[in-house]
């Protein structure tokens, strides 16, 4: 089985890179900015790739455009059996979120694509992409909660986005999930999303400040969960 992670920020990926001892394949995707780390196990032919979005303006790239590009390049070049988008997200205290809590997605939509016109434009805007059919099994075996991820291009939460999030039952807010799932749906590759909460959208605190305070802790929790996840996938879901 070949699992390919798409992870936006280096800080989110680093604990995972260290835990798994994957190696950087410099310039593998050049001239695209995304970066490949990988490891191949000859004994059982299992393969783990981690693709980060890369950098621009001396900062890690974030968001839908870079995630779309990285996911497409990764699927074309690496031909994984399963894509996993893993990273941090915002949550809601009133919906049970806590800092560092790790979730598996049971669905993913866009929350900032308001397209006037008929129902079809609206439906296309929201997206609503399928997640891997075994996501629920895996979450229950790892004792992780499930939640609906919603994706937009901004870290802040605008009231007009919140209307869509509430209408669609969103619980976890990120900037890449739906873009990764969109590409996977087109390319016919199953996708799972595993997210850990860095900030709470309803606690009145400054989002960026809380995000930066909790990024390390949330990324460590995420890499613990991902280590258990990869073991489970390689042992039970490899065919
Ligand atoms: N400017 C920050 C980084 C941006 S945070 C810095 O200085 O490091 C946004 C990243 O974390 C995105 O990749 C996104 O997927 C995730 N994220 C965490 N909390 C989020 C929230 N409340 N809303 C949207 N994305 C969030």
């Amino acid at each position: 089985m070949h699992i390919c992670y798409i992870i936006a920020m280096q800080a989110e990926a680093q604990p995972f890179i260290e835990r798994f001892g994957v190696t950087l394949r410099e310039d593998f995707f050049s001239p695209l900015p995304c970066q490949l780390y990988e490891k191949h196990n000859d004994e059982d032919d299992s393969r783990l790739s981690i693709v980060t979005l890369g950098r621009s303006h001396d900062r890690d790239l974030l968001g839908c455009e870079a995630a779309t590009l990285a996911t497409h390049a990764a699927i074309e070049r690496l031909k994984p059996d399963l894509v996993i988008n893993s990273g941090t997200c915002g949550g809601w205290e009133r919906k049970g979120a806590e800092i560092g809590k790790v979730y598996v997605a049971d669905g993913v939509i866009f929350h900032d694509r308001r397209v006037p016109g008929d129902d079809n434009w609206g439906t296309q805007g929201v997206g609503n992409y399928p997640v891997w059919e075994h996501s629920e099994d895996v979450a229950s075996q790892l004792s992780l909660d499930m939640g609906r991820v919603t994706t937009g291009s901004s870290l802040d939460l605008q009231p007009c986005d919140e209307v869509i999030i509430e209408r669609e039952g969103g619980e976890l807010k990120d900037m890449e999930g739906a873009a990764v799932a969109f590409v996977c749906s087109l390319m016919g590759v199953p996708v799972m999303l595993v997210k850990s909460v860095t900030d709470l959208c309803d606690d009145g605190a400054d989002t960026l400040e809380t995000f930066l305070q909790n990024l390390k802790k949330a990324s460590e929790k995420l890499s613990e969960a991902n280590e258990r996840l990869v073991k489970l996938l390689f042992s039970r879901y490899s065919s």
Side-chain angles (χ1 to χ4, degrees):
M1 186 187 211
H2 179 183
I3 300 171
C4 178
Y5 274 84
I6 306 285
I7 302 181
M9 299 175 68
Q10 194 68 29
E12 293 167 328
Q14 198 58 37
F16 194 34
I17 287 169
E18 285 164 16
R19 244 167 224 269
F20 277 91
V22 284
T23 309
L24 175 65
R25 293 274 309 275
E26 212 147 346
D27 296 329
F28 179 83
F29 291 112
S30 179
L32 302 184
C34 41
Q35 297 295 327
L36 172 66
Y37 295 82
E38 66 173 358
K39 185 176 172 179
H40 182 249
N41 183 344
D42 289 329
E43 272 169 38
D44 57 4
D45 203 27
S46 62
R47 209 170 145 197
L48 179 70
S49 306
I50 299 176
V51 176
T52 57
L53 303 189
R55 284 172 75 80
S56 157
H57 298 76
D58 207 23
R59 293 288 180 275
D60 289 351
L61 277 159
L62 308 167
C64 297
E65 294 80 2
T68 299
L69 203 55
T71 307
H72 187 257
I75 292 175
E76 286 254 286
R77 297 277 310 269
L78 306 171
K79 313 237 176 296
D81 301 304
L82 176 67
V83 166
I84 303 176
N85 170 229
S86 192
T88 58
C89 66
W92 277 262
E93 226 164 6
R94 68 183 158 81
K95 298 178 185 181
E98 292 157 27
I99 302 296
K101 185 165 168 183
V102 178
Y103 289 84
V104 173
D106 54 13
V108 58
I109 62 151
F110 284 106
H111 62 234
D112 64 352
R113 303 206 300 188
R114 290 169 291 280
V115 188
D118 58 21
D119 280 354
N120 290 346
W121 286 116
T123 305
Q124 188 205 85
V126 166
N128 203 2
Y129 305 106
V131 292
W132 188 39
E133 56 179 339
H134 298 296
S135 294
E136 193 177 343
D137 280 359
V138 165
S140 99
Q141 287 180 67
L142 297 176
S143 304
L144 297 174
D145 281 11
M146 296 195 88
R148 176 162 265 235
V149 173
T150 80
T151 301
S153 294
S154 303
L155 182 65
D156 66 3
L157 174 61
Q158 293 298 321
C160 51
D161 294 342
E162 202 163 8
V163 169
I164 297 179
I165 292 172
E166 288 312 311
R167 189 189 71 206
E168 301 292 330
E171 296 169 274
L172 306 165
K173 175 176 175 285
D174 83 346
M175 294 175 64
E176 294 86 17
V180 173
F182 167 61
V183 178
C184 289
S185 74
L186 296 177
M187 308 288 284
V189 179
V191 63
M192 251 186 104
L193 284 79
V194 184
K195 300 276 163 176
S196 104
V197 176
T198 39
D199 53 277
L200 297 164
C201 302
D202 56 351
D203 66 353
D206 180 84
T207 307
L208 179 58
E209 227 170 80
T210 334
F211 168 84
L212 292 172
Q213 250 167 33
N214 297 320
L215 178 59
K216 192 155 186 271
K217 174 182 167 183
S219 301
E220 260 150 30
K221 293 265 184 202
L222 196 59
S223 80
E224 277 167 32
N226 277 320
E227 185 170 12
R228 294 194 296 129
L229 171 61
V230 168
K231 276 194 189 132
L232 178 71
L233 292 173
F234 281 152
S235 65
R236 304 244 183 106
Y237 293 86
S238 276
S239 48

